[in-house]
Every structure is written in structure tokens, then in C-alpha cells.
Amino acid sequence: MITDPAAFLRRLFDRAVEVADPMRSLAQHLPPRPKGRVVVIGAGKASARMAEAVEAAWGPCDGLVITRYGYARPCAGIEIVEAAHPVPDAAGQAATTRMLELLTSLGADDFVLALISGGASALLVAPVEGVSLAEKQAVNAALLASGAPIDRMNTVRKHLSRVKGGQLAAAAYPAQMLALMISDVPGDDPAFIGSGPTVGDASTPADAMAILDQWQIAVPASVRAALERGSCVVSPDDPRMSQVVNQIYAAPLQSLNAAAALAQAAGCEVRLLGDALEGEARAVAADHAAMALTIRDGLHPGAKPVLLLSGGELTVTRRGDGIGGPNAEYALALAIALNAARGIHAIACDTDGVDGAAEVAGALISPETLSRAGASSAAALDRNDAHSFFASVDGQVVTGPTLTNVNDFRAILIMA
């Protein structure tokens, strides 16, 4: 019997985060420490924790890692720099410059361990010539508000950068490089994790321009001029990519499977909807609500609870001036579509602990969610103000820095 659905769903989320903790999972994927010079670099919301795990296995190392403000971890030798996410700042730009300088000093006998996780797109900041940091910030903000899928956003970012799209690895050539990655992108394509700083890319500046046009993303004139001049994104068959091995060692499916095992042990029938769902948060929520209602109506008294699990990365097209993120918006749209239907509870959270730009992981809903609200749920959704809505009904999930990032976690519990 599940007597406290909210606590049960939170345990599932916590389990999903736990198995993706680099301190639990990274060491087994490390080779023996090379005998020559070793340099550790990295970027992303999990990168400092990854660096901590490396030193726990290898001992103190030289290197530089860039993570989000508040996500630093103690390391004996690796320098940890904090910078802004999801919109980059000067601290990230300065640290990226230093990282490139460090890599260009290396030779063929040196070894680079690159630690890449979600968030690296904003934390590695080196705008192409003719584009200022302020203009790059404006592009990032516009991309985040556009509703474009993450792979489209990252294609644009690559061609406006001197470090993404394989350029970080190219800077280290001829040193050998192993890049260990935590995937936060649907489909687990290494080329889109953190905009692929260690992965060659076959896209073109024209592709980036087409994405700006398709999603009607307004950018400064200097950005279009830079794309027209070309970019330095590195082709996959470039000789400078020959020394790089890219390896994803943690991904959303592993976390979903761990949560599924916990739910099955509690007596649930688990249905995995996929680990790579994409789309507008409110539209996906409407589809999931219809599915949940159909399942509930088919359950007989005493039937096993059904748990719908899904991952991936939903998007929000910003229409209002509220505070929200894709997980909270999904949860709010789900609550509205369910309309207080009995027996259905849900959680939607980002495994990095940050949904959108707010220090909130996501939200929990129950049949009582709408009745507890003092304001209109529909109005909150119209304003993209889901975080404020859930704050008013005590439905927020706040974790603080989780030090990992395997993307969205959604679970709908359906009981007879």
C-alpha cells in the first residue's frame, strides 16, 4: 500500500538523482592514471562533483573546471571556478580563456581528462570574433525563451563559439583526450551534451541561421554577420579529433530504470513512456493527462497502482512574465488537464535541481492541488508563472544543488 503518494514520488525522484551521482558512478569508468602529465578540465553543473570523484580515485590532479554558482566541490589540485547558468557571464568567459590557454600548452605525451555535463553550453564562454559577451547573453536568453529543442539551440551556440563543436578538443591536440560525459539531452548524442566541446560536428553556419529563422529568434545584427562569415566548428573527420575518445557514462535511462525498480518493489506496474521525450511542456502534459485518466478508469478496485515514467527535455515558449520552468509548467498543465481527478498524483523535476532559471527542481501535484490555490491556475499557466503557483500551494520540490544532471524526471502515479 502506498499511503503517502507525495512522499513515494519524491523517493523515486531522489533515487533517480542518487544513481547519477558522480561519486557513486564515475570511478568505474576511469582508466588507470596515466604516468605522464595529466590535466583535468571540465564544464557543467555536475563537473565539480565529477572532478571530486576523479581525485577520490586518482589523487590530486592539475586542471580547471567551470561549474554553476553554488555547485563547487572541494578538490585538492583541480581548480573549481563558478560562473553563471543558464545565461553566461564574465566569470565563465575569463575561465574559458584560461582553459584554452592551458590546453594549447600541451604536447603529444600529455593526457587530458575532460568532464562534461549539462550546463556546459552556458559555462564555456568564448564568443566568436565580432560578437560581444552582452550579445552572446542576449542570444542565449532568446534561445531559452523560443521553445526550440535543445539540439537546435546547441547548434546555434556552436557556431557562435570558439570552444564548442569540437573546438575544445582541437585546442588540446596533439595531446590524448578522454571525455567522460553525463547526458542531459534526448537521444544521448554526445555532440549535443554541453554543445559538444569535444565532439566534431558536421553542421554549418547556414544551419544555425535557418534555426534562428524557423523559431523566429531575434538576435543582434552582429550575430547574423558572424554566421555569414563562417565558423570554426570542427568536422568529425578533422585530424585533430583523432586523439579524442568521447564516452557517456551516465544517462537518463539508468536513472529511470532505478526509479522503476523501486516502484516495482513497492507493488506498482511501471510503464516507461521513454527517456527522450521532447515537445512543448503543456502539450505533453495534456497528452499524459488523457493517458492517465484512461488508465485510471480501467482499474478495478484493488488493482496494482500504475506508474508512468518519462524523461527527456521539454520546452516552454515564453508568452508571459512569470517565473517558471518546463517541469513546473508541465506539472501545472497536468493538474489543470486532470481537473482534480481522484487517485492521480505526479511529480516533474529537473535532476540538476534547477527548473528553468529558478532554484527549484520542479513540483508535485495531487487531486487537491487546484483547490488549494488562491489564484487562477489557468492565469498562472498563461503567464508562464508555474513556480509562483506551486509556491502558493506548497507544491514546490526544492533540492538545492544535486551535483548531477540527467535531465527531466516525470512520474504519474495512478491508483484505483
Side-chain angles (χ1 to χ4, degrees), residues 68-157:
R68 190 179 191 265
Y69 289 118
Y71 283 57
R73 296 297 297 166
C75 287
I78 302 167
E79 180 184 357
I80 307 297
V81 175
E82 293 180 306
H85 177 279
V87 177
D89 69 356
Q93 184 176 30
T96 302
T97 298
R98 291 174 52 210
M99 187 180 293
L100 288 169
E101 291 170 350
L102 173 63
L103 294 178
T104 55
S105 70
L106 302 180
D109 295 330
D110 299 323
F111 181 88
V112 181
L113 179 64
L115 308 173
I116 307 297
S117 69
S121 289
L123 296 165
L124 286 172
V125 192
V128 294
E129 184 179 353
V131 176
S132 68
L133 174 61
E135 290 167 334
K136 189 70 177 290
Q137 290 170 328
V139 171
N140 256 39
L143 287 168
L144 292 167
S146 70
I150 187 65
D151 59 341
R152 308 299 198 281
M153 287 194 280
N154 284 357
T155 296
V156 174
R157 288 164 167 160

Side-chain angles (χ1 to χ4, degrees), residues 327-329 331-332 346-350 355 360-365 386-387 390 395-398 409:
N327 286 282
E329 181 145 321
L332 178 54
I347 189 170
C349 292
D350 198 315
D355 184 35
V360 180
L364 283 154
I365 68 165
H387 282 316
F390 284 111
Q396 290 184 328
V397 177
V398 180
F409 176 90

Side-chain angles (χ1 to χ4, degrees), residues 60-76:
C61 298
D62 293 332
L64 173 64
V65 163
I66 311 170
T67 194
R68 190 179 191 265
Y69 289 118
Y71 283 57
R73 296 297 297 166
C75 287

